[in-house]
Amino acid sequence: MAIVSSPTPKVGFVSLGCPKALVDSEQILTQLRAEGYETAKSYDGADLVIVNTCGFIDAAVQESLDAIGEALNENGKVIVTGCLGVKKDAGGEDIVTKAHPKVLAVTGPHALGEVMDAVHLHLPKPHEPFIDLVPAQGIKLTPKHYAYLKISEGCNHRCSFCIIPSMRGDLVSRPVAEVMLEAENLFKSGVKELLVISQDTSAYGVDVKFRTGFWNGKPIKTHMTQLVEALGELAKSYGAWVRLHYVYPYPHVDAVIPLMNGGHVLPYLDVPLQHAHPDVLKRMKRPANGEKNIERIRAWRELCPEITIRSTFIAGFPGETEEEFQYLLDFLEEAQIDRLGCFAYSPVEGATANALANPVPEEVREERRGRVMQLQERISRERLQRKIGKTLRVLIDEVDRAGNGTGRSAADAPEIDGVVHVKAPYEPHLKLKVGEFADVSITAADAHDLWGKA
């Protein structure tokens, strides 16, 4: 009697939102693959679809709801996970199920077990999973030469404009040995750039009182400084980079800056300052709102002259006066932030900032955002012009048919910063390759990108 094998169940996947949500998606995909499921490239080829949502601002909520609706229309069997899954409207109803009552299941963020339970219920897993098909580094949604390393979940802060803690909970730091093992597996798989992420990277270990863990027989505290030092040493052995994101400007961050002079912990700091005026920061309930950030930035540049500082700001926060906004502009002029993103304040359902007095009219919010970006364009242009004539180490992300490349220097995080356009080398043996480094002589710059030749 012939044995007829059943077709392998296939799951489609839609991943929306920030890098932290992307890591959640990678963990779910890794578990699916470990249990023998396959991933489908289209709605038609999927037995069901998982949509990982974002619920931070109104535009993200709408994008997530639209994606769920599309998946339902195209496939019909949809499981929803992510931040929008725990969000409720003003009447206390679940936003997802109210808009799309036909979804099979809804979970919140970092809910791997719940997602897999729903998959098992609606699409029973194969009887013989081939766990060896899963590489040690797991399934990655980024190009194979860079990856995100999430070191903690949640956040202890209660910023008045943010609802992330209500969706992702309080800070939960991952064990340091677990983080280091994942980093090593990623480097072994060919990753050349590791992007460290969390809601608050500076707070790593606070929840476990910085307890000591062990890696390769050596004690390492669950603390940002010791973790970064260990990651830098590990990256050095693989000729790779480590990039730090979401770093609040606490005093202990100063100890990390000297590590950036070695070439493997990149001289790059993503610091979400959000504003400069003390009164606005207090209304925002920002951590470290009393820090003297101008002095700190100067000190960082003295410790590491090549450091690139990236930050994000909010214009038009409730109660922001023209004088307070001008204070922000003056701060930006003095701080000379290298990479900057600015958002006009957007009311988010459930955020306590919505109840603050004197909301700024929408047209004023947008006008102020425009003024910030106009100032930043000039600052960025001037700072990038100084790189002309220098030789920069560039990680190549893409190579076209003519051999020209697009890559990123130490100053450029993927998708949020600029890029370096690299002309194809004349010598055939020097051709650019995706996922490899090239030393590039910079010949031109604009307000965002650089141009050069290898």
Side-chain angles (χ1 to χ4, degrees):
M1 184 177 83
I3 297 176
V4 179
S5 59
S6 59
T8 303
K10 294 183 179 181
V11 178
F13 209 99
V14 179
S15 185
L16 305 171
C18 65
K20 291 173 284 295
L22 183 70
V23 173
D24 287 352
S25 296
E26 291 172 342
Q27 291 172 347
I28 295 169
L29 285 168
T30 296
Q31 187 62 32
L32 287 167
R33 182 71 179 273
E35 295 187 11
Y37 292 92
E38 290 184 4
T39 52
K41 303 298 182 183
S42 66
Y43 290 123
D44 290 342
D47 296 300
L48 64 77
V49 177
I50 299 173
V51 181
N52 191 3
T53 60
C54 179
F56 184 45
I57 59 175
D58 291 346
V61 170
Q62 191 57 53
E63 180 186 25
S64 294
L65 291 175
D66 290 346
I68 296 166
E70 181 182 4
L72 282 169
N73 290 333
E74 297 292 331
N75 182 277
K77 298 180 70 176
V78 177
I79 294 170
V80 177
T81 187
C83 288
L84 188 59
V86 295
K87 196 169 183 182
K88 300 183 184 299
D89 63 15
E93 294 187 69
D94 293 335
I95 287 179
V96 172
T97 53
K98 183 178 180 180
H100 298 294
K102 292 184 179 180
V103 296
L104 299 176
V106 180
T107 80
H110 53 270
L112 174 61
E114 295 173 60
V115 172
M116 293 309 301
D117 287 345
V119 172
H120 296 156
L121 178 63
H122 297 284
L123 185 64
K125 64 181 179 180
H127 294 297
E128 297 181 0
F130 293 93
I131 295 177
D132 58 320
L133 293 179
V134 179
Q137 75 275 12
I139 306 300
K140 295 297 166 189
L141 298 177
T142 50
K144 67 178 183 179
H145 60 279
Y146 70 82
Y148 293 99
L149 179 68
K150 184 161 58 172
I151 64 173
S152 63
E153 289 284 2
C155 182
N156 288 342
H157 307 306
R158 297 296 183 265
C159 301
S160 60
F161 57 83
C162 181
I163 57 171
I164 292 296
S166 67
M167 295 187 288
R168 289 186 170 264
D170 288 336
L171 176 73
V172 179
S173 300
R174 294 178 62 195
V176 68
E178 181 182 301
V179 173
M180 292 301 299
L181 178 61
E182 182 176 349
E184 184 177 49
N185 285 333
L186 288 167
F187 286 139
K188 284 181 177 178
S189 75
V191 165
K192 291 297 182 183
E193 179 181 5
L194 210 55
L195 300 105
V196 177
I197 60 170
S198 66
Q199 295 299 143
D200 180 359
T201 297
S202 306
Y204 177 67
V206 167
D207 56 313
V208 294
K209 298 180 180 179
F210 308 117
R211 69 177 169 224
T212 299
F214 290 88
W215 168 248
N216 284 345
K218 296 180 180 179
I220 303 177
K221 281 190 175 182
T222 311
H223 188 280
M224 177 196 178
T225 305
Q226 292 202 16
L227 174 64
V228 172
E229 185 174 11
L231 287 173
E233 291 176 0
L234 185 62
K236 184 178 181 179
S237 65
Y238 288 92
W241 286 350
V242 173
R243 189 184 298 275
L244 304 180
H245 286 280
Y246 312 114
V247 179
Y248 285 90
Y250 299 124
H252 71 263
V253 174
D254 296 356
V256 173
I257 308 303
L259 301 175
M260 297 179 173
N261 289 313
H264 295 285
V265 176
L266 291 179
Y268 180 101
L269 212 55
D270 177 2
V271 189
L273 297 173
Q274 306 300 6
H275 211 279
H277 196 284
D279 292 342
V280 178
L281 290 169
K282 286 178 183 177
R283 292 199 296 275
M284 289 180 169
K285 295 185 179 178
R286 291 295 286 165
N289 61 51
E291 298 294 332
K292 297 180 179 178
N293 289 325
I294 284 289
E295 288 83 350
R296 175 139 285 130
I297 289 170
R298 285 180 183 148
W300 290 343
R301 286 176 171 151
E302 287 179 8
L303 290 167
C304 180
E306 297 300 315
I307 194 169
T308 293
I309 297 173
R310 150 166 273 283
S311 192
T312 50
F313 293 85
I314 297 174
F317 190 76
E320 182 189 63
T321 64
E322 180 61 31
E323 290 74 21
E324 289 170 339
F325 177 70
Q326 186 60 51
Y327 186 99
L328 171 61
L329 294 181
D330 294 341
F331 170 85
L332 296 177
E333 186 73 72
E334 188 173 1
Q336 295 283 295
I337 303 291
D338 298 272
R339 300 293 197 185
L340 184 147
C342 183
F343 304 91
Y345 174 74
S346 173
V348 177
E349 187 70 45
T352 58
N354 298 339
L356 291 174
N358 303 315
V360 179
E362 183 177 0
E363 61 272 18
V364 177
R365 284 182 256 149
E366 290 293 342
E367 185 267 342
R368 288 179 180 173
R369 186 196 71 83
R371 286 160 66 187
V372 168
M373 296 313 297
Q374 185 177 21
L375 170 61
Q376 181 58 29
E377 183 163 352
R378 174 176 61 78
I379 291 171
S380 179
R381 185 183 299 276
E382 291 172 354
R383 294 189 71 80
L384 289 179
Q385 288 290 322
R386 301 174 194 172
K387 298 188 179 185
I388 296 175
K390 293 185 177 181
T391 298
L392 303 179
R393 190 81 161 155
V394 173
L395 181 58
I396 302 299
D397 289 331
E398 297 176 7
V399 177
D400 64 21
R401 291 183 178 180
N404 300 306
T406 303
R408 294 173 294 103
S409 72
D412 310 306
E415 299 185 0
I416 58 174
D417 295 326
V419 296
V420 183
H421 303 280
V422 187
K423 189 176 181 181
Y426 293 115
E427 299 84 353
H429 68 282
L430 294 177
K431 68 179 182 179
L432 304 171
K433 295 180 181 179
V434 172
E436 294 190 4
F437 292 102
D439 292 323
V440 178
S441 176
I442 303 303
T443 57
D446 63 12
H448 306 284
D449 300 335
L450 298 171
W451 283 259
K453 55 185 179 181

